[in-house]
Amino acid sequence: MSEIYKIIKKKKLDIVNKPIDQAHGLPNECYTSKEYTLIERKKLFEDKWTVIGTSSSLPKAGDIKPFDLLGLPLLIIRNKKNKIKVFHNVCSHRGVKLVTEAGNIRNVIRCPYHSWSYTSDGELVATPHIGGMNKHQTPKFDKSNSKLKEVKSYVWLDLIIVNISDNEIPFEEYIKPLDKRWSKFWNIKDRKLINHANDFGYFKLKAKCNWKFAIENYCESYHLPWVHPSLNEYSKIDDHYHIQGLPNRFAGQGTTNYNPKFKGKKKFPSFPNWPKNKENIAEYVALFPNVMLGIHKDHYYAYWLEPVDHENTLEHMEIYYVGEIAAKSDKFYHLRKQNHKLWEDIQKEDVDIIQRMQIGRNSNAYNGGNFSPDMDNPTHQFHKWVAKNIV
Ligand code: FES
Ligand SMILES: [Fe+2]
């Protein structure tokens, strides 16, 4: 066990778990140490259900996409039967990283080193000259033992979610508490209507900070009046309520006054079963470790984090509308454009402030900080989730 892990574990995590009025936040090392982040990779990402992409970004059979999780090379494939699969992106021969760019395989995935080739289901099907020149098979080598190593994966609301260590409960079970909470807004049929917009359905932001700041900031609405003055015009700080999932897997906040002002008279269609008396409610929930979700009567988004290292994060925003017409037709083009801009402007405001939190963590005088006992409860819940799972 590394020294840094011992230091963090012994002295500084217990205090995170204290009642909120006595607790401190996670210690600085959790944000500034490269070594610590590798422990997080195992405990908070590989051992948990982690988002690594979206199914709609691989629309055709044979589409492939590499994804590196803090240096761990993974490969997402839509196989010939149209199913999303995830593998370790490493050749079973001499360990070359197999795929470096997104694309479509017409036939097989061929390793660039000695041309061993794999199907979209990870079967090893070609091993040129393995038994000496022009001998492409040998009794000494059984191909069926050298498949690509598959990773347990699940597609939920278009998100590709993996449990790399294969140790967690099934995702259908894992997500039940949040599913139950949200069943008062939308049902299974409504969820099937979500449709990713091709034109204004995505943006990516680079945040020069640790990934955890994005989650802890998302959990609270305390910062709203100062960081998001335009959002605060229609959805004020006192319109918000806390969300703290049990068991502790998600936290966030909701508003009772979702009512954005867009130019023009058009309105997006709503989810058919969204109750009339809940039209102005929207909920913003961080599902730990790395995705921030937003549900509204007329759109849904998933804002997922790609941790690059301890101080760099990529934020991927995926926006969905109710049905194909709302998501893809010209009729709603201008509305989609405005909604995209609204979210991008808001998220940029957050990035500015969380980058400054990263700088603050270089101060030895800072002990993880104090929480507001009334405003920071969901953020404290996330800190507790980290403190519990990192040991
Ligand atoms: S390392 Fe892939 S074929 Fe040799
Ligand atoms: Fe914010």
Side-chain angles (χ1 to χ4, degrees):
M1 203 55 74
S2 69
E3 275 311 301
I4 195 147
Y5 183 64
K6 282 185 200 153
I7 293 167
I8 293 171
K9 191 174 168 184
K10 268 203 202 122
K11 294 189 188 158
K12 300 176 180 170
L13 291 183
D14 284 352
I15 203 159
V16 176
N17 284 316
K18 291 201 165 180
I20 192 164
D21 54 341
Q22 298 155 41
H24 290 311
L26 292 161
N28 288 351
E29 291 88 341
C30 299
Y31 302 84
T32 57
S33 160
K34 209 173 179 117
E35 199 184 350
Y36 164 81
T37 299
L38 283 181
I39 301 165
E40 275 194 347
R41 186 180 92 183
K42 167 79 174 83
K43 302 274 189 175
L44 305 188
F45 293 101
E46 294 178 42
D47 289 356
K48 298 286 161 195
W49 282 106
T50 297
V51 173
I52 61 163
T54 58
S55 160
S56 59
S57 69
L58 296 96
K60 295 192 292 295
D63 281 351
I64 53 172
K65 206 176 224 191
F67 181 83
D68 290 349
L69 179 62
L70 287 164
L72 181 77
L74 300 172
L75 175 62
I76 310 167
I77 303 182
R78 185 178 287 280
N79 75 4
K80 295 281 149 86
K81 291 184 196 129
N82 241 325
K83 188 172 184 314
I84 293 288
K85 293 206 163 199
V86 180
F87 297 96
H88 288 279
N89 188 7
V90 55
C91 180
S92 65
H93 179 219
R94 303 292 304 134
V96 159
K97 178 176 177 178
L98 266 182
V99 175
T100 52
E101 274 175 33
N104 185 274
I105 49 156
R106 283 209 200 98
N107 195 8
V108 288
I109 305 160
R110 189 183 64 78
C111 177
Y113 199 3
H114 312 94
S115 263
W116 286 23
S117 301
Y118 304 86
T119 66
S120 64
D121 283 311
E123 309 277 344
L124 178 60
V125 286
T127 50
H129 310 296
I130 190 169
M133 275 315 290
N134 296 319
K135 290 184 193 141
H136 306 313
Q137 331 212 18
T138 163
K140 294 181 214 157
F141 180 80
D142 181 355
K143 283 198 201 74
S144 67
N145 292 332
S146 290
K147 296 175 186 168
L148 295 183
K149 296 278 180 293
E150 189 164 355
V151 171
K152 185 158 84 177
S153 65
Y154 193 85
V155 177
W156 178 75
L157 295 175
D158 197 39
L159 294 169
I160 301 167
I161 308 181
V162 291
N163 173 222
I164 295 166
S165 302
D166 195 10
N167 61 329
E168 257 295 354
I169 57 171
F171 190 77
E172 300 96 308
E173 291 295 317
Y174 188 84
I175 202 63
K176 264 189 183 157
L178 182 58
D179 264 348
K180 188 162 177 270
R181 176 179 186 90
W182 280 357
S183 63
K184 62 181 180 235
F185 300 119
W186 59 2
N187 65 22
I188 302 272
K189 279 191 197 149
D190 290 315
R191 292 177 203 200
K192 286 198 177 135
L193 293 173
I194 64 161
N195 209 299
H196 197 280
N198 292 340
D199 45 11
F200 297 106
Y202 177 79
F203 62 80
K204 177 164 83 174
L205 297 178
K206 279 187 188 175
K208 202 168 165 27
C209 65
N210 188 276
W211 65 276
K212 293 189 291 301
F213 288 129
I215 299 288
E216 44 198 83
N217 171 69
Y218 195 76
C219 284
E220 49 99 344
S221 51
Y222 189 10
H223 65 276
L224 227 116
W226 305 286
V227 175
H228 306 299
S230 58
L231 179 60
N232 194 55
E233 279 172 22
Y234 65 85
S235 182
K236 297 191 191 318
I237 187 168
D238 53 2
D239 296 329
H240 286 75
Y241 54 90
H242 296 332
I243 298 170
Q244 294 179 265
L246 285 174
N248 186 7
R249 293 171 193 158
F250 64 89
Q253 26 112 13
T255 176
T256 54
N257 205 6
Y258 167 66
N259 185 22
K261 306 272 183 284
F262 291 133
K263 286 192 208 112
K265 287 199 182 119
K266 278 207 189 74
K267 295 219 181 302
F268 286 119
S270 294
F271 289 106
N273 295 296
W274 193 284
K276 288 273 170 279
N277 63 355
K278 293 189 170 57
E279 284 197 322
N280 292 329
I281 297 180
E283 292 204 338
Y284 304 98
V285 162
L287 178 64
F288 311 146
N290 71 327
V291 63
M292 300 169 279
L293 308 166
I295 56 164
H296 319 77
K297 66 179 177 193
D298 56 1
H299 72 290
Y300 161 76
Y301 71 70
Y303 190 34
W304 62 280
L305 301 174
E306 179 180 345
V308 176
D309 59 27
H310 60 292
E311 56 186 4
N312 289 285
T313 303
L314 293 173
E315 305 188 342
H316 302 272
M317 173 63 97
E318 319 278 352
I319 308 173
Y320 303 81
Y321 293 99
V322 185
E324 201 170 342
I325 291 173
K328 306 225 159 65
S329 76
D330 290 348
K331 192 173 161 194
F332 293 102
Y333 175 91
H334 289 288
L335 216 44
R336 285 196 300 273
K337 191 173 175 184
Q338 290 180 70
N339 197 38
H340 180 276
K341 185 173 180 333
L342 178 144
W343 285 120
E344 193 173 21
D345 289 349
I346 290 172
Q347 304 303 352
K348 280 181 178 164
E349 289 166 349
D350 283 318
V351 166
D352 284 346
I353 206 77
I354 64 176
Q355 292 186 149
R356 288 172 65 166
M357 295 173 83
Q358 182 72 31
I359 300 167
R361 287 293 186 150
N362 292 320
S363 169
N364 291 333
Y366 187 70
N367 62 2
N370 310 304
F371 296 102
S372 153
D374 294 305
M375 304 300 272
D376 285 326
N377 313 67
T379 298
H380 182 223
Q381 178 152 335
F382 173 62
H383 279 236
K384 287 197 287 189
W385 181 84
V386 174
K388 175 174 168 233
N389 287 295
I390 198 71
V391 291

